[in-house]
Short mmCIF file of all heavy atoms in Angstrom, two decimals:
data_model
loop_
_atom_site.label_atom_id
_atom_site.label_comp_id
_atom_site.label_asym_id
_atom_site.label_seq_id
_atom_site.Cartn_x
_atom_site.Cartn_y
_atom_site.Cartn_z
N CYS A 308 39.01 196.10 107.00
CA CYS A 308 40.16 196.36 107.86
C CYS A 308 39.95 197.42 108.84
O CYS A 308 38.88 198.01 108.88
CB CYS A 308 41.30 196.90 106.82
SG CYS A 308 41.78 195.65 105.72
N LEU A 309 40.92 197.69 109.65
CA LEU A 309 40.75 198.57 110.80
C LEU A 309 41.05 200.04 110.43
O LEU A 309 40.72 200.92 111.28
CB LEU A 309 41.70 198.14 111.96
CG LEU A 309 41.41 196.78 112.56
CD1 LEU A 309 42.51 196.48 113.54
CD2 LEU A 309 40.04 196.68 113.17
N ASP A 310 41.58 200.25 109.19
CA ASP A 310 41.87 201.63 108.75
C ASP A 310 41.89 201.61 107.32
O ASP A 310 41.79 200.61 106.64
CB ASP A 310 43.20 202.13 109.43
CG ASP A 310 43.20 203.68 109.54
OD1 ASP A 310 42.59 204.32 108.75
OD2 ASP A 310 43.86 204.16 110.51
N LYS A 311 42.23 202.78 106.76
CA LYS A 311 42.24 202.91 105.25
C LYS A 311 43.54 202.12 104.71
O LYS A 311 44.59 202.03 105.32
CB LYS A 311 42.48 204.37 104.89
CG LYS A 311 42.47 204.61 103.39
CD LYS A 311 42.50 206.04 103.08
CE LYS A 311 42.46 206.32 101.56
NZ LYS A 311 42.57 207.76 101.19
N ILE A 312 43.22 201.38 103.67
CA ILE A 312 44.28 200.54 103.08
C ILE A 312 45.25 201.39 102.22
O ILE A 312 44.85 202.04 101.25
CB ILE A 312 43.57 199.39 102.17
CG1 ILE A 312 42.60 198.65 103.07
CG2 ILE A 312 44.67 198.47 101.61
CD1 ILE A 312 41.79 197.62 102.37
N SER A 313 46.53 201.17 102.49
CA SER A 313 47.61 201.90 101.79
C SER A 313 48.34 201.07 100.76
O SER A 313 48.92 201.57 99.81
CB SER A 313 48.59 202.53 102.70
OG SER A 313 47.99 203.38 103.76
N TYR A 314 48.37 199.70 101.09
CA TYR A 314 49.11 198.82 100.29
C TYR A 314 48.56 197.38 100.31
O TYR A 314 48.09 196.99 101.33
CB TYR A 314 50.63 198.83 100.77
CG TYR A 314 51.48 197.78 100.11
CD1 TYR A 314 51.96 198.00 98.78
CD2 TYR A 314 51.83 196.57 100.71
CE1 TYR A 314 52.76 197.07 98.15
CE2 TYR A 314 52.66 195.70 100.09
CZ TYR A 314 53.13 195.89 98.81
OH TYR A 314 54.00 195.01 98.29
N ILE A 315 48.59 196.64 99.22
CA ILE A 315 48.15 195.27 99.17
C ILE A 315 49.13 194.44 98.38
O ILE A 315 49.71 194.96 97.44
CB ILE A 315 46.74 195.14 98.54
CG1 ILE A 315 46.63 195.75 97.13
CG2 ILE A 315 45.63 195.69 99.43
CD1 ILE A 315 45.30 195.52 96.51
N GLU A 316 49.22 193.25 98.80
CA GLU A 316 50.11 192.32 98.08
C GLU A 316 49.61 190.85 98.23
O GLU A 316 49.25 190.41 99.39
CB GLU A 316 51.52 192.38 98.58
CG GLU A 316 52.52 191.48 97.87
CD GLU A 316 53.88 191.53 98.35
OE1 GLU A 316 54.35 192.72 98.56
OE2 GLU A 316 54.59 190.53 98.47
N TRP A 317 49.52 190.13 97.13
CA TRP A 317 49.06 188.72 97.13
C TRP A 317 50.23 187.82 97.53
O TRP A 317 51.45 188.06 97.17
CB TRP A 317 48.53 188.27 95.76
CG TRP A 317 47.27 188.84 95.44
CD1 TRP A 317 46.94 190.01 94.80
CD2 TRP A 317 45.93 188.29 95.76
NE1 TRP A 317 45.70 190.22 94.59
CE2 TRP A 317 44.98 189.10 95.14
CE3 TRP A 317 45.59 187.06 96.26
CZ2 TRP A 317 43.63 188.82 95.12
CZ3 TRP A 317 44.20 186.77 96.34
CH2 TRP A 317 43.20 187.67 95.80
N ALA A 318 49.91 186.70 98.13
CA ALA A 318 50.91 185.61 98.35
C ALA A 318 51.05 184.92 97.05
O ALA A 318 50.15 184.94 96.19
CB ALA A 318 50.43 184.61 99.43
N LEU A 319 52.19 184.25 96.88
CA LEU A 319 52.48 183.65 95.57
C LEU A 319 51.53 182.45 95.26
O LEU A 319 51.28 182.11 94.08
CB LEU A 319 53.93 183.07 95.56
CG LEU A 319 55.01 184.15 95.48
CD1 LEU A 319 56.40 183.51 95.42
CD2 LEU A 319 54.86 185.11 94.34
N ASP A 320 50.96 181.82 96.17
CA ASP A 320 49.96 180.75 96.01
C ASP A 320 48.54 181.36 95.80
O ASP A 320 47.59 180.55 95.59
CB ASP A 320 49.98 179.77 97.07
CG ASP A 320 49.55 180.38 98.45
OD1 ASP A 320 49.23 181.58 98.48
OD2 ASP A 320 49.54 179.58 99.46
N SER A 321 48.34 182.63 95.86
CA SER A 321 47.01 183.26 95.61
C SER A 321 46.00 183.00 96.63
O SER A 321 44.79 183.26 96.38
CB SER A 321 46.50 182.96 94.17
OG SER A 321 47.39 183.44 93.18
N GLU A 322 46.42 182.30 97.76
CA GLU A 322 45.43 181.95 98.79
C GLU A 322 45.35 183.06 99.89
O GLU A 322 44.35 183.06 100.67
CB GLU A 322 45.83 180.64 99.41
CG GLU A 322 45.65 179.41 98.48
CD GLU A 322 45.93 178.18 99.15
OE1 GLU A 322 45.98 178.13 100.41
OE2 GLU A 322 46.02 177.17 98.47
N TYR A 323 46.41 183.82 100.12
CA TYR A 323 46.48 184.78 101.17
C TYR A 323 46.75 186.17 100.46
O TYR A 323 47.42 186.23 99.42
CB TYR A 323 47.47 184.46 102.20
CG TYR A 323 47.23 183.29 102.93
CD1 TYR A 323 47.65 181.99 102.58
CD2 TYR A 323 46.54 183.30 104.22
CE1 TYR A 323 47.37 180.78 103.27
CE2 TYR A 323 46.28 182.14 104.90
CZ TYR A 323 46.69 181.00 104.44
OH TYR A 323 46.44 179.81 105.20
N ILE A 324 46.34 187.20 101.24
CA ILE A 324 46.58 188.64 100.87
C ILE A 324 46.81 189.45 102.05
O ILE A 324 46.10 189.22 103.07
CB ILE A 324 45.44 189.15 99.94
CG1 ILE A 324 45.75 190.52 99.34
CG2 ILE A 324 44.14 189.11 100.69
CD1 ILE A 324 44.82 191.05 98.36
N LEU A 325 47.69 190.30 101.96
CA LEU A 325 48.03 191.20 103.07
C LEU A 325 47.67 192.63 102.70
O LEU A 325 47.71 193.10 101.53
CB LEU A 325 49.46 191.15 103.59
CG LEU A 325 50.56 191.59 102.65
CD1 LEU A 325 50.84 193.19 102.70
CD2 LEU A 325 51.88 191.01 103.04
N CYS A 326 47.32 193.44 103.74
CA CYS A 326 46.88 194.87 103.57
C CYS A 326 47.74 195.65 104.50
O CYS A 326 47.86 195.38 105.71
CB CYS A 326 45.48 195.14 103.83
SG CYS A 326 44.31 194.11 102.89
N GLY A 327 48.39 196.69 103.95
CA GLY A 327 49.19 197.60 104.77
C GLY A 327 48.38 198.81 105.23
O GLY A 327 47.95 199.55 104.46
N LEU A 328 48.23 198.95 106.44
CA LEU A 328 47.51 200.01 107.09
C LEU A 328 48.65 201.02 107.65
O LEU A 328 48.86 201.03 108.89
CB LEU A 328 46.57 199.56 108.11
CG LEU A 328 45.65 198.41 107.80
CD1 LEU A 328 44.73 198.00 108.93
CD2 LEU A 328 44.91 198.65 106.49
N TYR A 329 49.33 201.70 106.80
CA TYR A 329 50.48 202.38 107.30
C TYR A 329 50.22 203.56 108.13
O TYR A 329 51.15 204.14 108.73
CB TYR A 329 51.35 202.85 106.07
CG TYR A 329 51.98 201.62 105.31
CD1 TYR A 329 52.25 201.68 103.97
CD2 TYR A 329 52.07 200.45 106.01
CE1 TYR A 329 52.76 200.53 103.30
CE2 TYR A 329 52.69 199.29 105.38
CZ TYR A 329 52.94 199.49 104.00
OH TYR A 329 53.49 198.31 103.29
N LYS A 330 48.96 204.01 108.20
CA LYS A 330 48.59 205.12 109.14
C LYS A 330 48.59 204.73 110.57
O LYS A 330 48.67 205.50 111.41
CB LYS A 330 47.32 205.81 108.73
CG LYS A 330 47.29 206.57 107.33
CD LYS A 330 46.04 207.29 107.09
CE LYS A 330 46.15 208.15 105.76
NZ LYS A 330 44.90 208.85 105.55
N ARG A 331 48.34 203.41 110.80
CA ARG A 331 48.24 203.00 112.23
C ARG A 331 49.50 202.96 112.97
O ARG A 331 49.54 203.53 114.08
CB ARG A 331 47.58 201.56 112.13
CG ARG A 331 46.08 201.65 111.89
CD ARG A 331 45.34 201.59 113.23
NE ARG A 331 43.89 201.78 112.93
CZ ARG A 331 43.03 201.55 113.94
NH1 ARG A 331 43.44 201.29 115.23
NH2 ARG A 331 41.69 201.72 113.73
N PRO A 332 50.60 202.25 112.46
CA PRO A 332 50.84 201.45 111.36
C PRO A 332 50.51 199.97 111.77
O PRO A 332 50.80 199.53 112.83
CB PRO A 332 52.29 201.71 111.02
CG PRO A 332 52.87 202.00 112.37
CD PRO A 332 51.88 202.64 113.26
N MET A 333 50.08 199.21 110.78
CA MET A 333 49.60 197.88 111.00
C MET A 333 49.50 197.10 109.75
O MET A 333 49.35 197.62 108.68
CB MET A 333 48.28 197.90 111.81
CG MET A 333 47.72 196.58 112.17
SD MET A 333 46.11 196.81 112.97
CE MET A 333 46.47 197.84 114.30
N ILE A 334 49.59 195.71 109.91
CA ILE A 334 49.40 194.80 108.71
C ILE A 334 48.28 193.89 109.03
O ILE A 334 48.31 193.28 110.11
CB ILE A 334 50.68 194.06 108.40
CG1 ILE A 334 51.84 194.99 108.04
CG2 ILE A 334 50.44 193.12 107.32
CD1 ILE A 334 51.58 195.76 106.77
N GLN A 335 47.32 193.67 108.13
CA GLN A 335 46.34 192.70 108.25
C GLN A 335 46.39 191.67 107.10
O GLN A 335 46.57 192.16 105.91
CB GLN A 335 44.96 193.26 108.39
CG GLN A 335 44.65 193.97 109.74
CD GLN A 335 43.19 194.33 109.85
OE1 GLN A 335 42.81 195.46 109.52
NE2 GLN A 335 42.28 193.44 110.33
N ALA A 336 46.24 190.44 107.34
CA ALA A 336 46.26 189.42 106.31
C ALA A 336 44.99 188.63 106.33
O ALA A 336 44.35 188.43 107.40
CB ALA A 336 47.55 188.52 106.51
N TRP A 337 44.60 188.12 105.14
CA TRP A 337 43.28 187.44 104.95
C TRP A 337 43.52 186.16 104.17
O TRP A 337 44.45 186.13 103.41
CB TRP A 337 42.26 188.37 104.38
CG TRP A 337 42.09 189.67 105.03
CD1 TRP A 337 42.70 190.87 104.63
CD2 TRP A 337 41.28 189.94 106.16
NE1 TRP A 337 42.39 191.85 105.50
CE2 TRP A 337 41.46 191.40 106.37
CE3 TRP A 337 40.36 189.30 106.87
CZ2 TRP A 337 40.81 192.03 107.47
CZ3 TRP A 337 39.68 189.96 107.92
CH2 TRP A 337 39.86 191.21 108.22
N SER A 338 42.59 185.33 104.28
CA SER A 338 42.62 184.04 103.52
C SER A 338 41.35 183.88 102.63
O SER A 338 40.21 184.16 103.11
CB SER A 338 42.71 182.82 104.48
OG SER A 338 42.52 181.58 103.76
N LEU A 339 41.53 183.51 101.42
CA LEU A 339 40.40 183.37 100.51
C LEU A 339 39.69 182.10 100.80
O LEU A 339 38.48 182.02 100.63
CB LEU A 339 40.85 183.48 99.05
CG LEU A 339 40.65 184.85 98.38
CD1 LEU A 339 41.73 185.82 99.05
CD2 LEU A 339 40.97 184.73 96.94
N THR A 340 40.42 181.05 101.12
CA THR A 340 39.81 179.71 101.34
C THR A 340 39.24 179.62 102.80
O THR A 340 38.36 178.81 102.99
CB THR A 340 40.83 178.67 101.15
OG1 THR A 340 41.91 178.89 102.04
CG2 THR A 340 41.40 178.63 99.69
N GLN A 341 39.72 180.40 103.72
CA GLN A 341 39.19 180.48 105.04
C GLN A 341 38.81 181.85 105.48
O GLN A 341 39.58 182.52 106.10
CB GLN A 341 40.22 179.80 106.00
CG GLN A 341 40.65 178.42 105.68
CD GLN A 341 41.73 177.94 106.63
OE1 GLN A 341 41.69 178.07 107.87
NE2 GLN A 341 42.83 177.34 106.12
N PRO A 342 37.65 182.34 105.02
CA PRO A 342 37.34 183.78 105.33
C PRO A 342 37.29 184.14 106.77
O PRO A 342 37.47 185.26 107.16
CB PRO A 342 35.84 183.85 104.70
CG PRO A 342 35.81 182.69 103.73
CD PRO A 342 36.61 181.70 104.27
N GLU A 343 37.03 183.17 107.68
CA GLU A 343 36.97 183.49 109.05
C GLU A 343 38.38 183.72 109.71
O GLU A 343 38.54 184.18 110.83
CB GLU A 343 36.31 182.31 109.84
CG GLU A 343 37.01 181.00 109.91
CD GLU A 343 36.82 180.18 108.66
OE1 GLU A 343 36.12 180.63 107.73
OE2 GLU A 343 37.36 179.08 108.60
N TRP A 344 39.51 183.22 108.96
CA TRP A 344 40.81 183.33 109.51
C TRP A 344 41.33 184.77 109.27
O TRP A 344 41.05 185.35 108.25
CB TRP A 344 41.73 182.37 108.74
CG TRP A 344 43.17 182.39 109.20
CD1 TRP A 344 43.82 181.65 110.16
CD2 TRP A 344 44.19 183.21 108.58
NE1 TRP A 344 45.12 181.99 110.25
CE2 TRP A 344 45.42 182.91 109.35
CE3 TRP A 344 44.24 184.21 107.65
CZ2 TRP A 344 46.64 183.63 109.04
CZ3 TRP A 344 45.47 184.77 107.30
CH2 TRP A 344 46.59 184.53 108.04
N THR A 345 42.01 185.27 110.18
CA THR A 345 42.61 186.66 110.06
C THR A 345 43.83 186.69 110.78
O THR A 345 44.14 185.95 111.74
CB THR A 345 41.62 187.75 110.56
OG1 THR A 345 42.16 188.98 110.34
CG2 THR A 345 41.34 187.52 112.00
N CYS A 346 44.71 187.67 110.43
CA CYS A 346 46.05 187.91 111.03
C CYS A 346 46.21 189.37 111.15
O CYS A 346 46.03 190.15 110.24
CB CYS A 346 47.16 187.26 110.17
SG CYS A 346 48.82 187.60 110.70
N LYS A 347 46.75 189.83 112.30
CA LYS A 347 47.07 191.27 112.48
C LYS A 347 48.49 191.38 113.07
O LYS A 347 48.84 190.64 114.06
CB LYS A 347 46.11 191.93 113.49
CG LYS A 347 46.32 193.38 113.66
CD LYS A 347 45.28 193.98 114.58
CE LYS A 347 45.32 193.46 115.98
NZ LYS A 347 44.41 194.14 116.92
N ILE A 348 49.35 192.21 112.43
CA ILE A 348 50.69 192.34 112.77
C ILE A 348 50.92 193.90 113.21
O ILE A 348 50.58 194.75 112.45
CB ILE A 348 51.63 192.02 111.67
CG1 ILE A 348 51.45 190.55 111.42
CG2 ILE A 348 53.06 192.35 112.10
CD1 ILE A 348 52.43 190.13 110.16
N ASP A 349 51.44 194.13 114.40
CA ASP A 349 51.69 195.46 114.95
C ASP A 349 53.02 195.40 115.55
O ASP A 349 53.31 194.64 116.51
CB ASP A 349 50.53 195.83 115.96
CG ASP A 349 50.66 197.29 116.39
OD1 ASP A 349 51.64 197.94 116.03
OD2 ASP A 349 49.74 197.72 117.07
N GLU A 350 53.93 196.37 114.98
CA GLU A 350 55.34 196.43 115.50
C GLU A 350 55.43 197.40 116.81
O GLU A 350 56.53 197.56 117.27
CB GLU A 350 56.17 196.87 114.39
CG GLU A 350 56.62 195.76 113.41
CD GLU A 350 57.84 195.05 113.86
OE1 GLU A 350 58.19 195.09 115.09
OE2 GLU A 350 58.52 194.35 113.01
N GLY A 351 54.24 197.97 117.08
CA GLY A 351 54.34 198.91 118.24
C GLY A 351 54.97 200.26 117.92
O GLY A 351 54.92 200.76 116.79
N PRO A 352 55.84 200.73 118.84
CA PRO A 352 56.49 202.01 118.58
C PRO A 352 57.41 202.01 117.41
O PRO A 352 57.72 203.01 116.79
CB PRO A 352 57.22 202.32 119.78
CG PRO A 352 56.60 201.51 120.87
CD PRO A 352 56.10 200.24 120.14
N ALA A 353 57.97 200.85 116.98
CA ALA A 353 58.92 200.75 115.91
C ALA A 353 58.21 201.08 114.52
O ALA A 353 58.92 201.54 113.61
CB ALA A 353 59.55 199.42 115.77
N GLY A 354 56.89 200.86 114.38
CA GLY A 354 56.23 201.18 113.27
C GLY A 354 56.45 200.13 112.07
O GLY A 354 57.37 199.30 112.26
#
Side-chain angles (χ1 to χ4, degrees):
C308 297
L309 298 177
D310 206 332
K311 185 175 181 180
I312 301 173
S313 305
Y314 174 76
I315 57 178
E316 181 178 319
W317 286 90
L319 291 181
D320 60 2
S321 300
E322 293 186 10
Y323 295 88
I324 186 171
L325 67 82
C326 300
L328 316 180
Y329 292 154
K330 289 186 177 181
R331 284 266 177 171
M333 183 185 297
I334 299 295
Q335 285 190 268
W337 309 92
S338 172
L339 265 67
T340 57
Q341 305 176 45
E343 69 281 357
W344 180 91
T345 183
C346 172
K347 183 176 68 174
I348 298 176
D349 189 351
E350 281 273 19

